[in-house]
Amino acid sequence: MICFSPKDNAFLLSGKQYSYCMYVNGAGFLQHLYYGKKLVPEDIPVLIAAHGKASEPNLNDRDMDMYTSDMPSECGSFGRGDFRSATVIVGREDGAAMSSFRYVSHLIVKGALALPGMPCARRADESLIITLRDSCSDTQVDLNYSVSEDSDILVRSLTVRNVGKQTYEIKKAFSFCTDFPDTCGTYSAMRLSGAWARERAPVTAPLAEGTLRIESTRGYSSHQMNPFLALLSEGCQEESGECYGFALLYSGSFAITAEVTHNRYIRVQGGINDYLFGWQLKGGESFSTPQAALCYSSEGLGGMSRAYHDFFRAYIIDPKRARMRRPVVINNWEATYFDFDNENLFAIIDEAAKLGIDTFVLDDGWFGKRDNDTAGLGDWFVNENKLKGGLKAVIGRCKQNGLKFGLWFEPEMVSEDSNLFRAHPDWAIAKAGVSPCRSRSQLVLDFTRKEVVDYIFEAVSKVLSENDISYVKWDKNRDITENFSASLPQDRQGEFLHRYTLGFYDLAQRLTSAFPNVLFEGCAGGGGRFDGGALYYFPQIWTSDDTDGLERTKIQWGTSMCYPLSSMSCHVSACPNHQTHRTTPFATRGAVASLGATGYELDLTKLSDEEKEQVKAQINNYKRIDELVLKGDLYRLSDPFKGNYFCEMVVSKDKREAYLVGERFRGDPCDHNRVLKLQGLSEDKTYYIEELRLAASGAALMGAGVLYPRLADCGSWTWHIREKDNV
Ligand code: DGJ
């Protein structure tokens, strides 16, 4: 609900359990008042009295701009007395850059706001557009807010408009700014940082005076830092206390900052990375930022995560694909790497069919001259020397076995040893006179150029339309360097990285629309582009190249802080694990991989008979619980970063059914009689835990708990929990 109170000049925005309030203060600034538990419009005067008047500049002072540095603002100004970092900075032709935004008008509309060319919330109940005018230039800023009754996510973005005649350069345009007026420095910030094969580990540290800046400068959201930050109030725990989430629906270079001022107020804001960013805005033009998804939770981190999971599943992921039952896949990458032919692929396919697998995914190496990673990218036609009879032969074998077929692409890349590069060397990102940085022996295509995106669209479309393909794995295996496009003029090079991201979105939009029945899985050298923007096109994303039965619990735990289990692609791979060299039980790898879109990534023909029986059992188990995993509420019970256990459970929305997966890392003789308290059940219902043959009330399972199983190193357990009359 969006309520405007003309008497108070205030806006109260409310979702399922939160409210967000701001007002136009006496000086005409849009001042932030409140973000927290749900309130009613009658509460507005209290908010103004508590948080408004005290921070409002003195109207009688002609230098009032100078008093805005403590004023909680919805859009930070620059060069006019607000000395915190600005939200929008606009440069003039003469080099001046200063702004002071004041309220002009507002509009409340039904539904969501479209964001052409970028991912955005597909629906909303209502949206609010507040127009501010810069008193120092001919620019306006529209602040956009969208809310829905059934969601705890507030969607924000902004649009900068040039309403004058001269050309401006936007030097910074973040998507949101939220000031916390009453925090006095008692908050911590949690970021999801990592590396290749160690993505999205939660790192929490107290905020202190100064600025915490998390960012990517790599041209995509990155393995190293996810475009998500949470602000935790003192005492916030997994299931209690207050916290706020800030997630960007953006896949390019980003920044999110949490700035604690001299008076220990906090300003959180984020959007497109402003480092060397610039965007020219001619008279009459406008520029829209990506959206950000903000969340308030009074039920700790778990409450925040569940709100995000519901949001991504219902508002971002394509509804048709979100509802698709995810196929259990066998992917040949770790089974064969580049070394495959009809014979070894067919053997895997034949075996997959016997074990109950749904889809065979042919990974890297099927095209061009791609026998290793130095050649072939960009040549999206099958290598018939390697695959006799081409893709049709492999697909035919799949069909004979009742399997569907999926295929790997890396559409944004080119190898110098490729026909594409030989024909169009200028299509790769490079700067004449500078030797390009090569990574994995490949270059990045210049997706700021429409003709490049058009070509790749045609090439990939040709393969998809000529073959019966139900699944695409869309990979991306390097960072962007030499940020420069020969097709952009000198004064527009600051637009390069964002334009690249828009090119990626353009291709993703066109391909996913042209092939509506294909399930597109995102991937970037593992989980390097796992963000809310990518989820708009890819309902699931390869979470990490690290499929080790222990490390994966951490990666999936961290990823779930913001992203739903349905978005995590999780596979069982061979041991010793190719990344960590660790050996974990087959059952554990299966249990951990069941907490997402599951599959296998190994040579099925090399499994023992016992392991094959385990695969069959794992798939049977998965088909019982996949709806729960993909649609249920997640409760994180034991933090793998903190103790000897990992444990998570998913509970159906009606609380009649749950599925729990646990792992004990070390078989420790002194670590016994530990109690595991379940969560998310209904206290009044009686449940039956199938594997324990135990019936107990929800109150007992959550209040008293059950013993953790005593298991050897990396031993795991799975429990199916049903309401007793649902058994
Ligand atoms: C990186 C991906 O994460 C892997 O799963 C695999 O597809 C390779 N790329 C192929 O080059």
Side-chain angles (χ1 to χ4, degrees):
M1 187 187 69
I2 296 175
C3 161
F4 174 63
S5 161
K7 170 170 70 68
D8 305 301
N9 258 333
F11 303 89
L12 184 74
L13 283 56
S14 299
K16 196 157 76 172
Q17 297 186 79
Y18 77 91
S19 288
Y20 190 98
C21 191
M22 57 212 156
Y23 85 133
V24 182
N25 67 23
F29 295 110
L30 185 65
Q31 186 176 326
H32 177 82
L33 289 173
Y34 172 83
Y35 188 18
K37 273 198 174 141
K38 194 163 181 169
L39 302 177
V40 291
E42 291 69 36
D43 295 324
I44 291 174
V46 177
L47 301 178
I48 294 178
H51 302 300
K53 295 293 172 200
S55 312
E56 178 174 310
N58 181 353
L59 285 183
N60 298 321
D61 193 324
R62 66 195 171 108
D63 296 323
M64 66 178 132
D65 270 289
M66 276 308 281
Y67 300 100
T68 53
S69 73
D70 273 342
M71 184 186 77
S73 171
E74 286 295 299
C75 182
S77 300
F78 180 71
R80 296 284 296 169
D82 180 351
F83 296 102
R84 296 161 293 187
S85 53
T87 311
V88 174
I89 301 177
V90 176
R92 327 274 191 274
E93 281 171 355
D94 62 6
M98 60 200 72
S99 50
S100 178
F101 301 107
R102 283 180 167 77
Y103 171 86
V104 177
S105 61
H106 73 270
L107 189 66
I108 298 174
V109 295
K110 288 253 162 291
L113 299 173
L115 195 55
M118 271 191 282
C120 58
R122 291 172 193 270
R123 61 186 179 85
D125 289 348
E126 279 178 294
S127 298
L128 165 68
I129 304 160
I130 302 179
T131 301
L132 310 177
R133 171 86 197 211
D134 181 5
S135 57
C136 313
S137 74
D138 283 334
T139 54
Q140 289 187 346
V141 173
D142 290 344
L143 301 182
N144 307 315
Y145 303 81
S146 296
V147 302
S148 296
E149 282 298 307
D150 67 351
S151 173
D152 274 321
I153 303 300
L154 170 65
V155 175
R156 293 186 59 177
S157 68
L158 62 81
T159 303
V160 184
R161 295 180 192 287
N162 182 345
V163 291
K165 295 208 164 53
Q166 69 166 286
T167 298
Y168 292 107
E169 189 192 35
I170 302 173
K171 293 170 182 289
K172 178 178 184 181
F174 269 2
S175 301
F176 71 95
C177 168
T178 300
D179 279 337
F180 290 81
D182 59 342
T183 48
C184 295
T186 53
Y187 279 75
S188 297
M190 183 181 78
R191 68 204 93 163
L192 302 177
S193 66
W196 170 78
R198 183 170 52 79
E199 293 90 341
R200 290 170 296 285
V203 173
T204 305
L207 288 176
E209 283 84 343
T211 301
L212 166 72
R213 180 181 173 97
I214 63 163
E215 65 177 344
S216 163
T217 55
R218 295 167 183 267
Y220 68 125
S221 50
S222 86
H223 300 81
Q224 288 74 9
M225 196 60 81
N226 196 258
F228 167 78
L229 188 82
L231 205 59
L232 282 58
S233 69
E234 209 162 12
C236 174
Q237 303 285 325
E238 180 61 29
E239 287 298 329
S240 63
E242 290 186 305
C243 60
Y244 300 85
F246 306 89
L248 295 173
L249 308 182
Y250 189 56
S251 312
S253 285
F254 72 91
I256 303 177
T257 55
E259 181 178 0
V260 181
T261 69
H262 56 289
N263 282 334
R264 308 183 84 198
Y265 301 150
I266 300 176
R267 167 170 289 182
V268 183
Q269 51 180 354
I272 297 172
N273 197 327
D274 51 319
Y275 182 63
L276 297 184
F277 171 78
W279 194 278
Q280 273 202 15
L281 209 57
K282 295 207 161 68
E285 287 183 349
S286 62
F287 175 80
S288 291
T289 70
Q291 288 184 342
L294 277 56
C295 177
Y296 163 76
S297 161
S298 59
E299 293 167 10
L301 294 171
M304 175 192 72
S305 301
R306 289 187 289 279
Y308 272 119
H309 298 175
D310 285 342
F311 172 72
F312 282 119
R313 291 183 298 208
Y315 287 81
I316 297 296
I317 297 173
D318 173 7
K320 183 164 178 283
R321 293 181 170 95
R323 283 194 293 269
M324 272 180 185
R325 209 164 174 187
R326 303 304 166 77
V328 175
V329 306
I330 171 71
N331 177 304
N332 72 307
W333 178 241
E334 290 202 0
T336 64
Y337 293 104
F338 293 105
D339 187 15
F340 58 80
D341 53 21
N342 295 48
E343 205 182 319
N344 60 6
L345 294 186
F346 287 3
I348 292 174
I349 292 166
D350 295 351
E351 198 57 58
K354 289 187 216 145
L355 303 179
I357 288 173
D358 303 310
T359 300
F360 169 72
V361 180
L362 179 55
D363 211 280
D364 195 353
W366 58 269
F367 51 89
K369 233 177 63 189
R370 185 84 169 162
D371 291 325
N372 53 50
D373 63 13
T374 63
L377 290 172
D379 293 345
W380 300 114
F381 44 85
V382 67
N383 179 349
E384 299 229 10
N385 291 331
K386 197 165 179 179
L387 289 179
K388 306 282 177 250
L391 291 176
K392 298 238 174 321
V394 185
I395 295 170
R397 190 68 165 217
C398 287
K399 283 193 172 161
Q400 277 168 23
N401 279 286
L403 256 66
K404 292 194 167 164
F405 178 74
L407 194 59
W408 181 97
F409 290 90
E410 194 173 2
E412 298 150 78
M413 299 291 154
V414 66
S415 306
E416 285 159 285
D417 185 0
S418 68
N419 292 349
L420 182 65
F421 186 80
R422 280 183 282 274
H424 299 282
D426 60 311
W427 281 11
I429 294 173
K431 173 79 188 82
V434 177
S435 161
C437 289
R438 294 170 183 88
S439 176
R440 213 190 186 210
S441 307
Q442 64 197 53
L443 300 177
V444 187
L445 287 170
D446 183 354
F447 266 30
T448 71
R449 293 170 65 171
K450 189 169 177 318
E451 68 272 29
V452 179
V453 176
D454 286 349
Y455 171 84
I456 295 294
F457 172 73
E458 292 302 332
V460 175
S461 296
K462 188 165 187 305
V463 181
L464 295 185
S465 49
E466 287 177 356
N467 295 287
D468 194 353
I469 294 174
S470 66
Y471 186 107
V472 163
K473 179 176 172 187
W474 178 323
D475 204 348
K476 175 194 200 301
N477 281 298
R478 63 157 289 178
D479 304 322
I480 300 180
T481 53
E482 295 88 36
N483 300 345
F484 178 84
S485 175
S487 68
L488 290 171
Q490 170 266 330
D491 53 1
R492 284 189 170 258
Q493 293 297 332
E495 302 178 9
F496 173 76
L497 283 181
H498 182 54
R499 284 192 183 276
Y500 176 89
T501 306
L502 294 178
F504 157 60
Y505 287 150
D506 179 31
L507 183 65
Q509 179 62 43
R510 284 156 73 185
L511 283 172
T512 51
S513 313
F515 300 95
N517 298 320
V518 174
L519 178 67
F520 284 79
E521 173 175 281
C523 175
R529 189 160 58 188
F530 207 125
D531 58 67
L535 282 178
Y536 187 82
Y537 309 98
F538 309 142
Q540 62 188 54
I541 297 175
W542 182 227
T543 315
S544 177
D545 278 345
D546 189 344
T547 44
D548 171 77
L550 190 160
E551 294 302 322
R552 253 306 174 117
T553 63
K554 296 182 183 168
I555 295 166
Q556 292 174 203
W557 176 280
T559 304
S560 78
M561 284 295 155
C562 186
Y563 308 103
L565 299 189
S566 67
S567 66
M568 293 185 219
S569 187
C570 305
H571 293 175
V572 176
S573 61
C575 276
N577 180 272
H578 292 200
Q579 270 49 266
T580 64
H581 311 292
R582 183 185 283 118
T583 294
T584 53
F586 197 87
T588 296
R589 285 173 266 153
V592 174
S594 71
L595 288 170
T598 204
Y600 294 81
E601 180 111 5
L602 40 70
D603 188 345
L604 295 171
T605 65
K606 295 199 175 126
L607 294 181
S608 67
D609 288 345
E610 194 207 323
E611 284 170 334
K612 285 180 188 165
E613 288 310 309
Q614 286 199 56
V615 174
K616 284 188 202 160
Q618 285 169 355
I619 293 174
N620 281 338
N621 169 52
Y622 189 71
K623 302 251 154 148
R624 276 178 73 195
I625 52 89
D626 61 345
E627 295 267 311
L628 200 52
V629 166
L630 300 178
K631 297 180 185 161
D633 285 330
L634 176 73
Y635 290 84
R636 289 180 293 253
L637 308 184
S638 302
D639 183 344
F641 291 93
K642 293 196 176 138
N644 195 20
Y645 298 89
F646 158 80
C647 190
E648 288 183 353
M649 65 187 283
V650 268
V651 183
S652 63
K653 293 277 176 196
D654 63 6
K655 296 192 179 291
R656 299 194 67 197
E657 196 183 351
Y659 174 63
L660 180 148
V661 175
E663 181 175 342
R664 191 185 200 225
F665 300 131
R666 287 181 323 279
D668 180 342
C670 302
D671 179 27
H672 51 68
N673 297 343
R674 292 268 317 274
V675 168
L676 171 61
K677 292 185 178 172
L678 307 198
Q679 281 168 22
L681 302 173
S682 163
E683 291 200 343
D684 307 330
K685 293 191 196 308
T686 301
Y687 294 93
Y688 183 68
I689 305 182
E690 205 174 293
E691 291 76 3
L692 300 182
R693 299 196 186 158
L694 174 78
S697 68
L701 293 172
M702 294 191 292
V706 288
L707 284 178
Y708 275 92
R710 287 189 200 175
L711 298 163
D713 287 2
C714 294
S716 65
W717 68 99
T718 53
W719 291 344
H720 296 78
I721 303 160
R722 283 170 184 270
E723 189 183 2
K724 197 127 183 271
D725 65 14
N726 194 18
V727 173

